Amino acid sequence: MALSCVLDPALPGFNFENSTRNIVLENGSEEGKIKAPKPMKTGTTIAGVVYKDGVVLGADTRATSDEVVADKKCAKIHYIAPNIYCCGAGTAADTEKTTDMLSSNLTIFSMNSGRNPRVIMAVNILQDMLFRYRGMIGAHLILGGVDCTGCHLYTVGPYGSMDKVPYLAMGSGNLAAMGILEDRFKANMDLEEAKALVSDAVHAGIMSDLGSGNNIDLCVITKEGVDYIRPHKESPYNYKREAKYKYKPGTTPVLTKTVTQLELELVHETVQMMETGSS
Amino acid sequence: MSGEMFPEPGWLSEEVKTGTTIIAVTFDGGVVLGSDSRVSAGETVVNRVMNKLSLLHDKIYCALSGSAADAQTIAEIVNYQLDVHSIEVEDDPLVCSAATLVKNISYKYKEELSAHLIVAGWDRKEGGQVYATLNGLLTRQPFAIGGSGSFYIHGFVDAEYRKKMTKRECQEFVVNALSLAMGRDGSSGGVAYVVTIDQDGAEEKCVLGNELPKFFDQ
């Protein structure tokens, strides 16, 4: 079947090439115990809602590395296909790479088959991959999209579990956001209502969770197209730098200057021809 | 400022489990399967309306419990294998074939997987059957219960089960058992999904929380 040669063929078993290397590095020599860098997590609030004509996805924009905000304008709504977008929570690198791979696979598929990809196909590919890695890939994803079968919202967990739901929140701020969604969600809302609901849900997550903050991004997907609103709501706490911290050359006065010539002697010279293209 | 700024939420590290109540009962002419709808990750409820009764074939369903990812994957794989099998034999598959396929996967990967599936359905040869496939064992029973909530209703089902119930009585029995378990088990709750399979096909029904029967509740 065309599909089997299109998708990235999976090597049998799991790929843990680097885990032995990591263990050796961590338990290194007594003095040189290297601590593994903590992966950047998007302690996050992401939410999604199905409304009358499509799907609205929302996310905050803060990426944290332990207690420091590493990125204030992180984009957590990733492009998968023209009609499918995905919000990612968990380890930033994992969600980024997973969604990139998924997007490439789906593009190849649609070029090969001449069809627009369906949301359920994206979900199945994700589920396969995450299950194969037994939870080692820390990606908690909300997929939303509109295809020929309708508007869909799915969530895929890092162990490979999948749920299909009409409204959803994920991330460390999901408890607060879920409260807003449970209270105000109605079936078949119109666009403005749905946007307000998702924005308020993400806002609740930002207010109640330390790992979420800064701006709110929204992404509205309908049969006609996609409206990526970045930012939908900007944080009122955008600090403007009071002064410039760059110093002009000449600020520090030069007192003395000594030049020492290095005595170097050419000992050995080799020339290697590089293969640059065909002859 | 202390090191622990925000304690890691349960869903980040905990695998998503369906701490569950599942039940399957044979009646005269078919089977009734029932499940609750709560999916938890640690102390958080991740999905409160999940349908844990998964289709394996037209007249064969399985009930999922244990790790959500493992159980869903086993059900998908067996669904595919049963499709291939039924095309090869040019007939509807037997329930014991479906149960054997589930058992094979559960047994072969018993160290890595932690899911328990109850397989139930109707076929022309033996009528309604229920099979339990815990950790790779395969046993046919007149009824089977599983999941964390099942511990609370062992006594109830043992006392109340009768052979040769009618379809209505069996559905009532299943819904009663589910509400009793959901009332006592913290990891079970939400709505009740009931699937009735007989020679005419499978009929899915959802009993909402406020329609569940109420028992002595102070």
Side-chain angles (χ1 to χ4, degrees):
Chain A
M1 197 173 86
L3 197 55
S4 49
C5 67
V6 156
L7 293 182
D8 218 1
L11 292 169
F14 310 123
N15 184 349
F16 290 120
E17 282 170 359
N18 287 333
S19 21
T20 30
R21 178 206 72 172
N22 291 344
I23 294 173
V24 164
L25 279 178
E26 282 212 17
N27 305 329
S29 55
E30 281 311 309
E31 340 87 53
K33 261 217 166 107
I34 306 163
K35 216 168 161 261
K38 258 211 137 106
M40 180 168 93
K41 284 183 132 78
T42 54
T44 288
T45 309
I46 48 179
V49 146
V50 174
Y51 76 101
K52 193 172 58 173
D53 305 317
V55 178
V56 179
L57 298 171
D60 72 307
T61 57
R62 174 179 290 183
T64 49
S65 180
D66 275 346
E67 309 90 39
V68 179
V69 174
D71 191 350
K72 289 185 282 207
K73 295 220 171 60
C74 171
K76 297 184 191 174
I77 307 185
H78 310 278
Y79 166 89
I80 304 283
N83 55 334
I84 306 174
Y85 275 72
C86 171
C87 304
T91 310
D94 287 344
T95 57
E96 192 72 44
K97 257 298 161 307
T98 309
T99 47
D100 272 351
M101 285 212 303
L102 177 62
S103 169
S104 314
N105 272 330
L106 281 184
T107 314
I108 296 176
F109 161 78
S110 63
M111 280 200 255
N112 239 313
S113 61
R115 303 167 82 152
N116 278 333
R118 297 192 186 184
V119 186
I120 186 63
M121 182 176 179
V123 173
N124 280 332
I125 297 173
L126 268 182
Q127 205 186 8
D128 272 345
M129 191 174 92
L130 292 175
F131 182 78
R132 215 182 322 131
Y133 280 92
R134 307 286 291 170
M136 293 289 168
I137 297 186
H140 306 247
L141 305 165
I142 295 185
L143 266 122
V146 178
D147 57 30
C148 55
T149 53
C151 328
H152 306 284
L153 187 67
Y154 288 91
T155 171
V156 183
Y159 285 88
S161 57
M162 178 268 276
D163 280 311
K164 181 175 197 316
V165 269
Y167 59 93
L168 188 58
M170 284 280 240
S172 50
N174 78 333
L175 290 174
M178 206 54 179
I180 304 283
L181 289 174
E182 289 277 16
D183 185 36
R184 287 166 34 189
F185 175 80
K186 292 192 300 285
N188 288 330
M189 286 185 287
D190 56 31
L191 176 61
E192 287 314 313
E193 228 182 316
K195 271 163 66 171
L197 178 58
V198 174
S199 170
D200 286 346
V202 178
H203 184 74
I206 290 175
M207 285 295 126
S208 320
D209 174 44
L210 296 171
S212 313
N214 301 99
N215 306 341
I216 301 180
D217 289 345
L218 280 192
C219 181
V220 181
I221 312 171
T222 53
K223 220 168 36 176
E224 281 81 45
V226 172
D227 190 10
Y228 196 119
I229 312 166
R230 177 173 157 83
H232 168 75
K233 202 149 82 153
E234 277 203 336
S235 152
Y237 302 106
N238 264 330
Y239 294 107
K240 289 254 170 318
R241 289 239 166 85
E242 299 295 320
K244 276 204 142 71
Y245 296 104
K246 262 180 125 74
Y247 293 96
K248 294 197 310 290
T251 315
T252 317
V254 178
L255 298 177
T256 48
K257 188 162 129 174
T258 38
V259 176
T260 322
Q261 281 283 33
L262 289 173
E263 297 293 328
L264 293 176
E265 187 192 317
L266 181 59
V267 173
H268 183 66
E269 185 182 339
T270 44
V271 176
Q272 195 174 49
M273 293 292 282
M274 272 175 54
E275 301 276 343
T276 46
S278 50
S279 49
Chain B
M1 229 183 229
S2 66
E4 268 257 317
M5 194 112 167
F6 31 96
E8 207 175 63
W11 59 265
L12 261 184
S13 48
E14 291 279 338
E15 185 170 343
V16 171
K17 285 187 137 50
T18 55
T20 284
T21 311
I22 49 176
I23 172 172
V25 185
T26 48
F27 66 91
D28 192 19
V31 292
V32 177
L33 288 109
S35 82
D36 72 310
S37 64
R38 182 172 289 183
V39 179
S40 51
E43 329 85 21
T44 326
V45 173
V46 169
N47 188 352
R48 62 182 169 87
V49 284
M50 174 170 174
N51 190 344
K52 298 176 192 172
L53 303 175
S54 226
L55 181 127
L56 293 182
H57 202 77
D58 300 333
K59 299 202 185 96
I60 307 176
Y61 273 66
C62 73
L64 315 173
S65 75
S67 149
D70 291 346
Q72 281 177 346
T73 305
I74 297 178
E76 269 176 39
I77 295 175
V78 173
N79 182 354
Y80 162 75
Q81 289 175 337
L82 264 189
D83 272 346
V84 174
H85 169 70
S86 78
I87 290 173
E88 281 177 353
V89 301
E90 292 193 4
D91 196 2
D92 284 333
L94 297 176
V95 185
C96 72
S97 314
T100 308
L101 288 171
V102 173
K103 179 265 289 174
N104 286 342
I105 300 178
S106 303
Y107 182 71
K108 187 162 175 203
Y109 298 104
K110 72 183 339 208
E111 306 299 326
E112 290 97 10
L113 297 174
S114 77
H116 166 37
L117 275 72
I118 297 180
V119 180
W122 183 92
D123 63 43
R124 242 188 357 233
K125 200 165 148 206
E126 297 270 327
Q129 302 146 69
V130 169
Y131 291 85
T133 67
L134 176 65
N135 255 342
L137 113 90
L138 177 63
T139 166
R140 180 175 167 191
Q141 298 172 204
F143 65 88
I145 53 179
S148 57
S150 67
F151 301 129
Y152 301 94
I153 51 172
H154 273 297
F156 171 76
V157 296
D158 284 343
E160 292 294 312
Y161 173 74
R162 282 159 297 122
K163 285 201 239 218
K164 301 233 183 282
M165 282 189 276
T166 64
K167 181 153 76 164
R168 275 310 286 286
E169 290 172 347
C170 196
Q171 287 170 332
E172 253 179 63
F173 174 57
V174 163
V175 171
N176 285 344
L178 284 175
S179 358
L180 284 169
M182 293 201 270
R184 286 289 178 183
D185 179 28
S187 328
S188 305
V191 304
Y193 288 102
V194 179
V195 169
T196 314
I197 312 176
D198 57 16
Q199 72 173 63
D200 302 318
E203 181 198 315
E204 296 192 19
K205 207 165 76 117
C206 173
V207 183
L208 295 180
N210 55 349
E211 296 165 11
L212 285 172
K214 293 204 189 329
F215 292 91
F216 179 68
D217 251 332
Q218 209 144 38

